[in-house]
Amino acid sequence: MTPDPGRPGPAAATPAAATPAADPAVERTLRRLELTVLRRLDGMLLGDHLGLLPGQGSEKAESREYSIGDDVRRMDWAVTARTTVPHVHDLIADRELETWALVDLSASSEFGSGAWEKRDLAVAATAAVGFLTARTGNRMGAVALTQTGTKLIPARPGRNGLRALLRGLLTLPRTAHDRPQRRPDPAAATDLAAAVQGLLRPPRRRGLAVVISDFQSTDLGWERPLRVLAARHQVLAIEIVDPLELALPAVGLLPVVDAETGAMLEVPTSSRKFRQRYAAAAAAHRRTVSLALRRVGADHLVLRTDSDWLVDIVRFASANRRDRGAGRRAPVGRAGPAADGSPARPAWAGNR
């Protein structure tokens, strides 16, 4: 819902060129970070992530018998000792990462009571993911969800490919209803579940799938296709939230318009009980979305139009890196104290 005509939100006049993704300082900050992807990929080019097939890499694969010409530095001495037959271990090839983003640019995103519109934050989040995953050979594509359907932007490598992707998102026309319609069309509401299914067809290379939306649908029809998506890809869900969607101010009888269907509704914000019911329903919906994303197994990042989105993304990326790194650590052994009497340190602690 958006306020009635004649009272556009503060971000309604934000030009496309002023989107937060266009700030050079943003790229400089995000260039120092990286999203850690642990899923094994099936690309064809050399990159920085684990592949599925043996090749030149750094991760050990299965062992096999030694044959003439094999590198003796890859001898698997443990298997050789057990079988008395020389064995070598293969390596998993490092492959490139292919990222696909589903960007919800439907009419409901053309609203914001904070510093930015939700649409601006969706584009900024897409840019941030592009900067965080930009490495050798990595590619990124997008599927934009609009009122007229979905628009596919092919995956391309490099900074130029990312800039072309962002340019394509920024030039998509706006379609929000800013005034009531004589005949509201309930069928005009966009279907996030169908858009998520669009990421599944055709089947794409294993990689990172990012779903950027406000998740305002009253049902959880998107949970099932998102679960199927998470079975093949590592999934990141970015939820865009505006403060007016969480709590209403006391401004009397407030006429609001459904940006997607054009339906009008008058909200009695002067009623304290109504505002409390609204806040409780909004909080319950947010919890439902969070639990659904947790059941799916997706990482969850929340961006608000009234907060510093760059700080939120930096914190998320840093926590993501720490959590993924902790998952790779070896278990702490039960070694005794060191020779100097100090407690034994785990093998992964390293030297300081």
Side-chain angles (χ1 to χ4, degrees):
M1 292 289 186
T2 59
D4 202 20
R7 299 179 55 181
T14 302
T19 179
D23 190 350
V26 171
E27 182 174 355
R28 289 196 301 268
T29 302
L30 295 175
R31 194 181 299 170
R32 304 175 185 176
L33 301 172
E34 180 182 7
L35 283 177
T36 303
V37 177
L38 296 183
R39 289 291 186 89
R40 292 190 172 184
L41 312 179
D42 53 0
M44 300 300 294
L45 302 177
L46 293 179
D48 300 328
H49 302 273
L50 295 182
L52 291 174
L53 302 177
Q56 297 301 319
S58 57
E59 190 78 6
K60 291 183 180 180
E62 296 181 354
S63 297
R64 59 176 175 80
E65 289 190 15
Y66 173 86
S67 59
I68 298 176
D70 286 336
D71 190 346
V72 296
R73 293 175 296 181
R74 293 195 282 119
M75 291 291 296
D76 192 335
W77 297 110
V79 177
T80 299
R82 290 197 304 269
T83 62
T84 68
V85 177
H87 277 71
V88 296
H89 55 73
D90 287 326
L91 298 176
I92 295 295
D94 298 329
R95 296 303 185 190
E96 84 279 11
L97 171 67
E98 184 170 286
T99 302
W100 280 92
L102 171 59
V103 189
D104 185 355
L105 298 181
S106 57
S108 64
S109 68
E110 300 174 27
F111 169 71
S113 62
W116 305 100
E117 286 186 357
K118 294 194 294 181
R119 180 187 179 104
D120 296 328
L121 277 190
V123 177
T126 306
V129 171
F131 292 137
L132 292 172
T133 59
R135 294 295 184 272
T136 304
N138 292 352
R139 306 192 306 164
M140 183 173 183
V143 176
L145 174 61
T146 66
Q147 291 299 119
T148 57
T150 57
K151 176 179 175 57
L152 177 67
I153 302 177
R156 298 175 183 174
R159 303 283 178 176
N160 292 334
L162 177 59
R163 293 189 182 97
L165 185 151
L166 297 177
R167 194 179 305 114
L169 295 177
L170 289 171
T171 54
L172 289 175
R174 296 169 175 261
T175 56
H177 292 290
D178 59 354
R179 62 191 61 188
Q181 301 297 303
R182 291 185 176 180
R183 294 182 179 179
D185 184 11
T190 52
D191 189 352
L192 182 60
V196 175
Q197 290 177 349
L199 283 179
L200 300 170
R201 298 187 301 269
R204 296 180 170 87
R205 295 177 180 174
R206 290 177 177 87
L208 177 64
V210 184
V211 179
I212 306 173
S213 174
D214 53 13
F215 294 97
Q216 286 289 353
S217 56
T218 55
D219 59 2
L220 297 180
W222 45 265
E223 182 179 358
R224 183 180 179 86
L226 197 61
R227 188 188 303 275
V228 177
L229 186 68
R232 181 176 177 85
H233 305 273
Q234 185 166 314
V235 176
L236 168 62
I238 301 180
E239 184 180 6
I240 309 296
V241 178
D242 187 86
L244 285 184
E245 296 171 347
L246 304 178
L248 289 175
V251 293
L253 191 62
L254 177 66
V256 294
V257 179
D258 189 328
E260 297 194 3
T261 64
M264 182 178 176
L265 180 67
E266 292 184 344
V267 180
T269 62
S270 57
S271 171
R272 185 181 62 178
K273 290 185 178 180
F274 179 85
R275 296 197 306 271
Q276 291 175 346
R277 288 166 48 202
Y278 179 92
H285 180 68
R286 298 268 76 82
R287 289 194 299 268
T288 302
V289 170
S290 180
L291 289 175
L293 294 175
R294 188 181 304 175
R295 287 194 299 266
V296 167
D299 295 324
H300 187 198
L301 168 62
V302 178
L303 298 180
R304 291 172 57 109
T305 60
D306 62 340
S307 65
D308 192 332
W309 67 273
L310 182 57
V311 172
D312 294 337
I313 290 181
V314 168
R315 288 175 179 171
F316 175 82
S318 300
N320 171 270
R321 188 172 184 176
R322 289 195 303 269
D323 294 343
R324 301 296 185 187
R328 291 186 175 186
R329 293 174 179 171
V332 179
R334 296 186 178 179
D340 58 357
S342 60
R345 299 178 64 203
W348 48 261
N351 297 322
R352 294 183 182 178

PDB file of all heavy atoms in Angstrom, residues 67-96:
ATOM      1  N   SER A  67      49.703 -44.366 -11.761  1.00  0.00           N
ATOM      2  CA  SER A  67      50.057 -44.763 -13.126  1.00  0.00           C
ATOM      3  C   SER A  67      51.220 -43.905 -13.579  1.00  0.00           C
ATOM      4  O   SER A  67      51.456 -42.803 -13.053  1.00  0.00           O
ATOM      5  CB  SER A  67      48.859 -44.605 -14.072  1.00  0.00           C
ATOM      6  OG  SER A  67      48.419 -43.257 -14.089  1.00  0.00           O
ATOM      7  N   ILE A  68      51.941 -44.405 -14.549  1.00  0.00           N
ATOM      8  CA  ILE A  68      53.147 -43.715 -15.006  1.00  0.00           C
ATOM      9  C   ILE A  68      52.776 -42.321 -15.507  1.00  0.00           C
ATOM     10  O   ILE A  68      51.852 -42.154 -16.309  1.00  0.00           O
ATOM     11  CB  ILE A  68      53.834 -44.526 -16.120  1.00  0.00           C
ATOM     12  CG1 ILE A  68      54.264 -45.888 -15.578  1.00  0.00           C
ATOM     13  CG2 ILE A  68      55.031 -43.774 -16.691  1.00  0.00           C
ATOM     14  CD1 ILE A  68      54.872 -46.796 -16.619  1.00  0.00           C
ATOM     15  N   GLY A  69      53.512 -41.351 -15.038  1.00  0.00           N
ATOM     16  CA  GLY A  69      53.256 -39.965 -15.424  1.00  0.00           C
ATOM     17  C   GLY A  69      52.563 -39.155 -14.349  1.00  0.00           C
ATOM     18  O   GLY A  69      52.509 -37.927 -14.442  1.00  0.00           O
ATOM     19  N   ASP A  70      52.010 -39.815 -13.308  1.00  0.00           N
ATOM     20  CA  ASP A  70      51.349 -39.086 -12.229  1.00  0.00           C
ATOM     21  C   ASP A  70      52.378 -38.324 -11.395  1.00  0.00           C
ATOM     22  O   ASP A  70      53.535 -38.753 -11.264  1.00  0.00           O
ATOM     23  CB  ASP A  70      50.569 -40.041 -11.321  1.00  0.00           C
ATOM     24  CG  ASP A  70      49.296 -40.545 -11.972  1.00  0.00           C
ATOM     25  OD1 ASP A  70      48.789 -39.844 -12.880  1.00  0.00           O
ATOM     26  OD2 ASP A  70      48.812 -41.623 -11.603  1.00  0.00           O
ATOM     27  N   ASP A  71      51.929 -37.232 -10.841  1.00  0.00           N
ATOM     28  CA  ASP A  71      52.794 -36.403 -10.005  1.00  0.00           C
ATOM     29  C   ASP A  71      52.995 -37.103  -8.659  1.00  0.00           C
ATOM     30  O   ASP A  71      52.034 -37.354  -7.928  1.00  0.00           O
ATOM     31  CB  ASP A  71      52.160 -35.026  -9.796  1.00  0.00           C
ATOM     32  CG  ASP A  71      53.101 -34.030  -9.139  1.00  0.00           C
ATOM     33  OD1 ASP A  71      54.146 -34.459  -8.612  1.00  0.00           O
ATOM     34  OD2 ASP A  71      52.785 -32.825  -9.158  1.00  0.00           O
ATOM     35  N   VAL A  72      54.242 -37.406  -8.324  1.00  0.00           N
ATOM     36  CA  VAL A  72      54.517 -38.134  -7.082  1.00  0.00           C
ATOM     37  C   VAL A  72      54.222 -37.274  -5.854  1.00  0.00           C
ATOM     38  O   VAL A  72      54.101 -37.796  -4.744  1.00  0.00           O
ATOM     39  CB  VAL A  72      55.988 -38.606  -7.047  1.00  0.00           C
ATOM     40  CG1 VAL A  72      56.252 -39.622  -8.164  1.00  0.00           C
ATOM     41  CG2 VAL A  72      56.940 -37.422  -7.169  1.00  0.00           C
ATOM     42  N   ARG A  73      54.082 -35.956  -6.047  1.00  0.00           N
ATOM     43  CA  ARG A  73      53.753 -35.104  -4.918  1.00  0.00           C
ATOM     44  C   ARG A  73      52.306 -35.301  -4.462  1.00  0.00           C
ATOM     45  O   ARG A  73      51.919 -34.811  -3.401  1.00  0.00           O
ATOM     46  CB  ARG A  73      53.987 -33.637  -5.287  1.00  0.00           C
ATOM     47  CG  ARG A  73      55.456 -33.290  -5.512  1.00  0.00           C
ATOM     48  CD  ARG A  73      55.617 -31.865  -5.996  1.00  0.00           C
ATOM     49  NE  ARG A  73      55.004 -31.677  -7.294  1.00  0.00           N
ATOM     50  CZ  ARG A  73      55.011 -30.522  -7.981  1.00  0.00           C
ATOM     51  NH1 ARG A  73      55.600 -29.458  -7.444  1.00  0.00           N
ATOM     52  NH2 ARG A  73      54.436 -30.434  -9.158  1.00  0.00           N
ATOM     53  N   ARG A  74      51.523 -36.030  -5.278  1.00  0.00           N
ATOM     54  CA  ARG A  74      50.131 -36.290  -4.904  1.00  0.00           C
ATOM     55  C   ARG A  74      49.942 -37.722  -4.403  1.00  0.00           C
ATOM     56  O   ARG A  74      48.829 -38.243  -4.416  1.00  0.00           O
ATOM     57  CB  ARG A  74      49.206 -36.016  -6.088  1.00  0.00           C
ATOM     58  CG  ARG A  74      49.162 -34.538  -6.478  1.00  0.00           C
ATOM     59  CD  ARG A  74      48.000 -34.210  -7.382  1.00  0.00           C
ATOM     60  NE  ARG A  74      48.217 -34.599  -8.762  1.00  0.00           N
ATOM     61  CZ  ARG A  74      47.487 -35.467  -9.447  1.00  0.00           C
ATOM     62  NH1 ARG A  74      46.457 -36.033  -8.871  1.00  0.00           N
ATOM     63  NH2 ARG A  74      47.750 -35.758 -10.702  1.00  0.00           N
ATOM     64  N   MET A  75      51.015 -38.345  -3.970  1.00  0.00           N
ATOM     65  CA  MET A  75      50.906 -39.699  -3.438  1.00  0.00           C
ATOM     66  C   MET A  75      50.039 -39.707  -2.178  1.00  0.00           C
ATOM     67  O   MET A  75      50.181 -38.852  -1.295  1.00  0.00           O
ATOM     68  CB  MET A  75      52.285 -40.247  -3.099  1.00  0.00           C
ATOM     69  CG  MET A  75      53.165 -40.519  -4.322  1.00  0.00           C
ATOM     70  SD  MET A  75      52.581 -41.904  -5.312  1.00  0.00           S
ATOM     71  CE  MET A  75      52.755 -43.236  -4.160  1.00  0.00           C
ATOM     72  N   ASP A  76      49.134 -40.655  -2.111  1.00  0.00           N
ATOM     73  CA  ASP A  76      48.294 -40.837  -0.927  1.00  0.00           C
ATOM     74  C   ASP A  76      48.930 -41.945  -0.096  1.00  0.00           C
ATOM     75  O   ASP A  76      48.679 -43.134  -0.297  1.00  0.00           O
ATOM     76  CB  ASP A  76      46.869 -41.201  -1.350  1.00  0.00           C
ATOM     77  CG  ASP A  76      45.879 -41.111  -0.197  1.00  0.00           C
ATOM     78  OD1 ASP A  76      46.326 -41.243   0.950  1.00  0.00           O
ATOM     79  OD2 ASP A  76      44.681 -40.895  -0.453  1.00  0.00           O
ATOM     80  N   TRP A  77      49.759 -41.540   0.849  1.00  0.00           N
ATOM     81  CA  TRP A  77      50.546 -42.515   1.585  1.00  0.00           C
ATOM     82  C   TRP A  77      49.681 -43.363   2.510  1.00  0.00           C
ATOM     83  O   TRP A  77      50.018 -44.541   2.760  1.00  0.00           O
ATOM     84  CB  TRP A  77      51.635 -41.804   2.379  1.00  0.00           C
ATOM     85  CG  TRP A  77      52.616 -41.089   1.500  1.00  0.00           C
ATOM     86  CD1 TRP A  77      52.766 -39.755   1.351  1.00  0.00           C
ATOM     87  CD2 TRP A  77      53.572 -41.694   0.621  1.00  0.00           C
ATOM     88  NE1 TRP A  77      53.752 -39.464   0.426  1.00  0.00           N
ATOM     89  CE2 TRP A  77      54.271 -40.649  -0.032  1.00  0.00           C
ATOM     90  CE3 TRP A  77      53.915 -43.013   0.317  1.00  0.00           C
ATOM     91  CZ2 TRP A  77      55.273 -40.879  -0.961  1.00  0.00           C
ATOM     92  CZ3 TRP A  77      54.920 -43.254  -0.606  1.00  0.00           C
ATOM     93  CH2 TRP A  77      55.592 -42.200  -1.237  1.00  0.00           C
ATOM     94  N   ALA A  78      48.600 -42.831   3.018  1.00  0.00           N
ATOM     95  CA  ALA A  78      47.738 -43.618   3.909  1.00  0.00           C
ATOM     96  C   ALA A  78      47.115 -44.793   3.163  1.00  0.00           C
ATOM     97  O   ALA A  78      47.126 -45.935   3.643  1.00  0.00           O
ATOM     98  CB  ALA A  78      46.659 -42.722   4.509  1.00  0.00           C
ATOM     99  N   VAL A  79      46.558 -44.526   1.974  1.00  0.00           N
ATOM    100  CA  VAL A  79      45.950 -45.602   1.175  1.00  0.00           C
ATOM    101  C   VAL A  79      47.024 -46.557   0.678  1.00  0.00           C
ATOM    102  O   VAL A  79      46.827 -47.782   0.627  1.00  0.00           O
ATOM    103  CB  VAL A  79      45.148 -45.009   0.014  1.00  0.00           C
ATOM    104  CG1 VAL A  79      44.561 -46.113  -0.863  1.00  0.00           C
ATOM    105  CG2 VAL A  79      44.044 -44.117   0.538  1.00  0.00           C
ATOM    106  N   THR A  80      48.174 -46.021   0.315  1.00  0.00           N
ATOM    107  CA  THR A  80      49.277 -46.869  -0.159  1.00  0.00           C
ATOM    108  C   THR A  80      49.706 -47.839   0.934  1.00  0.00           C
ATOM    109  O   THR A  80      49.960 -49.025   0.670  1.00  0.00           O
ATOM    110  CB  THR A  80      50.457 -45.990  -0.590  1.00  0.00           C
ATOM    111  OG1 THR A  80      50.041 -45.130  -1.654  1.00  0.00           O
ATOM    112  CG2 THR A  80      51.618 -46.837  -1.066  1.00  0.00           C
ATOM    113  N   ALA A  81      49.768 -47.365   2.194  1.00  0.00           N
ATOM    114  CA  ALA A  81      50.195 -48.235   3.284  1.00  0.00           C
ATOM    115  C   ALA A  81      49.167 -49.324   3.560  1.00  0.00           C
ATOM    116  O   ALA A  81      49.522 -50.460   3.893  1.00  0.00           O
ATOM    117  CB  ALA A  81      50.426 -47.400   4.542  1.00  0.00           C
ATOM    118  N   ARG A  82      47.881 -48.989   3.419  1.00  0.00           N
ATOM    119  CA  ARG A  82      46.839 -49.983   3.699  1.00  0.00           C
ATOM    120  C   ARG A  82      46.749 -51.039   2.609  1.00  0.00           C
ATOM    121  O   ARG A  82      46.450 -52.197   2.890  1.00  0.00           O
ATOM    122  CB  ARG A  82      45.483 -49.291   3.877  1.00  0.00           C
ATOM    123  CG  ARG A  82      45.349 -48.467   5.145  1.00  0.00           C
ATOM    124  CD  ARG A  82      43.881 -48.177   5.451  1.00  0.00           C
ATOM    125  NE  ARG A  82      43.214 -47.518   4.347  1.00  0.00           N
ATOM    126  CZ  ARG A  82      43.126 -46.208   4.199  1.00  0.00           C
ATOM    127  NH1 ARG A  82      43.679 -45.418   5.117  1.00  0.00           N
ATOM    128  NH2 ARG A  82      42.496 -45.674   3.175  1.00  0.00           N
ATOM    129  N   THR A  83      46.944 -50.640   1.379  1.00  0.00           N
ATOM    130  CA  THR A  83      46.737 -51.552   0.248  1.00  0.00           C
ATOM    131  C   THR A  83      48.035 -52.132  -0.286  1.00  0.00           C
ATOM    132  O   THR A  83      47.981 -53.055  -1.105  1.00  0.00           O
ATOM    133  CB  THR A  83      46.008 -50.828  -0.895  1.00  0.00           C
ATOM    134  OG1 THR A  83      46.817 -49.741  -1.355  1.00  0.00           O
ATOM    135  CG2 THR A  83      44.662 -50.286  -0.416  1.00  0.00           C
ATOM    136  N   THR A  84      49.171 -51.580   0.135  1.00  0.00           N
ATOM    137  CA  THR A  84      50.503 -51.963  -0.379  1.00  0.00           C
ATOM    138  C   THR A  84      50.625 -51.728  -1.877  1.00  0.00           C
ATOM    139  O   THR A  84      51.519 -52.279  -2.518  1.00  0.00           O
ATOM    140  CB  THR A  84      50.831 -53.430  -0.057  1.00  0.00           C
ATOM    141  OG1 THR A  84      49.965 -54.290  -0.812  1.00  0.00           O
ATOM    142  CG2 THR A  84      50.710 -53.716   1.427  1.00  0.00           C
ATOM    143  N   VAL A  85      49.722 -50.938  -2.443  1.00  0.00           N
ATOM    144  CA  VAL A  85      49.765 -50.576  -3.856  1.00  0.00           C
ATOM    145  C   VAL A  85      49.841 -49.050  -3.932  1.00  0.00           C
ATOM    146  O   VAL A  85      49.055 -48.354  -3.268  1.00  0.00           O
ATOM    147  CB  VAL A  85      48.514 -51.076  -4.614  1.00  0.00           C
ATOM    148  CG1 VAL A  85      48.549 -50.623  -6.082  1.00  0.00           C
ATOM    149  CG2 VAL A  85      48.425 -52.588  -4.523  1.00  0.00           C
ATOM    150  N   PRO A  86      50.769 -48.491  -4.711  1.00  0.00           N
ATOM    151  CA  PRO A  86      50.889 -47.023  -4.773  1.00  0.00           C
ATOM    152  C   PRO A  86      49.592 -46.374  -5.256  1.00  0.00           C
ATOM    153  O   PRO A  86      49.002 -46.792  -6.261  1.00  0.00           O
ATOM    154  CB  PRO A  86      52.035 -46.804  -5.771  1.00  0.00           C
ATOM    155  CG  PRO A  86      52.802 -48.077  -5.751  1.00  0.00           C
ATOM    156  CD  PRO A  86      51.801 -49.163  -5.503  1.00  0.00           C
ATOM    157  N   HIS A  87      49.134 -45.370  -4.521  1.00  0.00           N
ATOM    158  CA  HIS A  87      47.936 -44.613  -4.864  1.00  0.00           C
ATOM    159  C   HIS A  87      48.262 -43.116  -4.860  1.00  0.00           C
ATOM    160  O   HIS A  87      49.137 -42.663  -4.124  1.00  0.00           O
ATOM    161  CB  HIS A  87      46.805 -44.877  -3.859  1.00  0.00           C
ATOM    162  CG  HIS A  87      46.021 -46.119  -4.136  1.00  0.00           C
ATOM    163  ND1 HIS A  87      46.537 -47.393  -3.945  1.00  0.00           N
ATOM    164  CD2 HIS A  87      44.743 -46.296  -4.590  1.00  0.00           C
ATOM    165  CE1 HIS A  87      45.616 -48.294  -4.262  1.00  0.00           C
ATOM    166  NE2 HIS A  87      44.523 -47.646  -4.648  1.00  0.00           N
ATOM    167  N   VAL A  88      47.535 -42.386  -5.685  1.00  0.00           N
ATOM    168  CA  VAL A  88      47.610 -40.928  -5.698  1.00  0.00           C
ATOM    169  C   VAL A  88      46.179 -40.395  -5.515  1.00  0.00           C
ATOM    170  O   VAL A  88      45.206 -41.089  -5.807  1.00  0.00           O
ATOM    171  CB  VAL A  88      48.218 -40.377  -7.005  1.00  0.00           C
ATOM    172  CG1 VAL A  88      49.667 -40.804  -7.162  1.00  0.00           C
ATOM    173  CG2 VAL A  88      47.402 -40.813  -8.216  1.00  0.00           C
ATOM    174  N   HIS A  89      46.074 -39.169  -5.022  1.00  0.00           N
ATOM    175  CA  HIS A  89      44.747 -38.568  -4.867  1.00  0.00           C
ATOM    176  C   HIS A  89      44.560 -37.491  -5.931  1.00  0.00           C
ATOM    177  O   HIS A  89      45.479 -36.732  -6.251  1.00  0.00           O
ATOM    178  CB  HIS A  89      44.546 -37.977  -3.471  1.00  0.00           C
ATOM    179  CG  HIS A  89      45.581 -36.989  -3.054  1.00  0.00           C
ATOM    180  ND1 HIS A  89      45.677 -35.720  -3.559  1.00  0.00           N
ATOM    181  CD2 HIS A  89      46.592 -37.097  -2.153  1.00  0.00           C
ATOM    182  CE1 HIS A  89      46.670 -35.087  -3.004  1.00  0.00           C
ATOM    183  NE2 HIS A  89      47.265 -35.881  -2.156  1.00  0.00           N
ATOM    184  N   ASP A  90      43.369 -37.485  -6.510  1.00  0.00           N
ATOM    185  CA  ASP A  90      43.027 -36.447  -7.483  1.00  0.00           C
ATOM    186  C   ASP A  90      42.686 -35.159  -6.759  1.00  0.00           C
ATOM    187  O   ASP A  90      42.421 -35.142  -5.556  1.00  0.00           O
ATOM    188  CB  ASP A  90      41.846 -36.894  -8.351  1.00  0.00           C
ATOM    189  CG  ASP A  90      42.251 -37.960  -9.356  1.00  0.00           C
ATOM    190  OD1 ASP A  90      43.405 -37.901  -9.830  1.00  0.00           O
ATOM    191  OD2 ASP A  90      41.427 -38.845  -9.640  1.00  0.00           O
ATOM    192  N   LEU A  91      42.646 -34.086  -7.517  1.00  0.00           N
ATOM    193  CA  LEU A  91      42.300 -32.778  -6.982  1.00  0.00           C
ATOM    194  C   LEU A  91      41.017 -32.277  -7.623  1.00  0.00           C
ATOM    195  O   LEU A  91      40.746 -32.568  -8.797  1.00  0.00           O
ATOM    196  CB  LEU A  91      43.424 -31.768  -7.236  1.00  0.00           C
ATOM    197  CG  LEU A  91      44.769 -32.080  -6.573  1.00  0.00           C
ATOM    198  CD1 LEU A  91      45.806 -31.048  -7.005  1.00  0.00           C
ATOM    199  CD2 LEU A  91      44.633 -32.092  -5.071  1.00  0.00           C
ATOM    200  N   ILE A  92      40.221 -31.548  -6.839  1.00  0.00           N
ATOM    201  CA  ILE A  92      39.006 -30.940  -7.368  1.00  0.00           C
ATOM    202  C   ILE A  92      39.383 -29.627  -8.053  1.00  0.00           C
ATOM    203  O   ILE A  92      40.056 -28.777  -7.467  1.00  0.00           O
ATOM    204  CB  ILE A  92      37.984 -30.678  -6.261  1.00  0.00           C
ATOM    205  CG1 ILE A  92      37.520 -32.002  -5.656  1.00  0.00           C
ATOM    206  CG2 ILE A  92      36.785 -29.892  -6.787  1.00  0.00           C
ATOM    207  CD1 ILE A  92      36.760 -32.885  -6.613  1.00  0.00           C
ATOM    208  N   ALA A  93      38.946 -29.481  -9.276  1.00  0.00           N
ATOM    209  CA  ALA A  93      39.277 -28.271 -10.030  1.00  0.00           C
ATOM    210  C   ALA A  93      38.527 -27.072  -9.473  1.00  0.00           C
ATOM    211  O   ALA A  93      37.362 -27.169  -9.092  1.00  0.00           O
ATOM    212  CB  ALA A  93      38.937 -28.457 -11.507  1.00  0.00           C
ATOM    213  N   ASP A  94      39.221 -25.938  -9.408  1.00  0.00           N
ATOM    214  CA  ASP A  94      38.586 -24.686  -9.010  1.00  0.00           C
ATOM    215  C   ASP A  94      37.840 -24.110 -10.206  1.00  0.00           C
ATOM    216  O   ASP A  94      38.422 -23.945 -11.293  1.00  0.00           O
ATOM    217  CB  ASP A  94      39.631 -23.684  -8.512  1.00  0.00           C
ATOM    218  CG  ASP A  94      40.351 -24.206  -7.280  1.00  0.00           C
ATOM    219  OD1 ASP A  94      39.717 -24.948  -6.522  1.00  0.00           O
ATOM    220  OD2 ASP A  94      41.525 -23.876  -7.102  1.00  0.00           O
ATOM    221  N   ARG A  95      36.568 -23.795 -10.007  1.00  0.00           N
ATOM    222  CA  ARG A  95      35.724 -23.335 -11.115  1.00  0.00           C
ATOM    223  C   ARG A  95      35.190 -21.943 -10.847  1.00  0.00           C
ATOM    224  O   ARG A  95      35.248 -21.438  -9.732  1.00  0.00           O
ATOM    225  CB  ARG A  95      34.562 -24.308 -11.333  1.00  0.00           C
ATOM    226  CG  ARG A  95      35.002 -25.695 -11.758  1.00  0.00           C
ATOM    227  CD  ARG A  95      35.834 -25.674 -13.021  1.00  0.00           C
ATOM    228  NE  ARG A  95      36.150 -27.015 -13.489  1.00  0.00           N
ATOM    229  CZ  ARG A  95      37.016 -27.275 -14.469  1.00  0.00           C
ATOM    230  NH1 ARG A  95      37.644 -26.270 -15.073  1.00  0.00           N
ATOM    231  NH2 ARG A  95      37.251 -28.500 -14.847  1.00  0.00           N
ATOM    232  N   GLU A  96      34.628 -21.356 -11.900  1.00  0.00           N
ATOM    233  CA  GLU A  96      34.050 -20.019 -11.756  1.00  0.00           C
ATOM    234  C   GLU A  96      32.672 -20.107 -11.132  1.00  0.00           C
ATOM    235  O   GLU A  96      32.017 -21.157 -11.157  1.00  0.00           O
ATOM    236  CB  GLU A  96      33.963 -19.325 -13.126  1.00  0.00           C
ATOM    237  CG  GLU A  96      32.742 -19.654 -13.964  1.00  0.00           C
ATOM    238  CD  GLU A  96      32.844 -20.957 -14.709  1.00  0.00           C
ATOM    239  OE1 GLU A  96      33.780 -21.731 -14.428  1.00  0.00           O
ATOM    240  OE2 GLU A  96      31.990 -21.219 -15.569  1.00  0.00           O
TER     241      GLU A  96
END
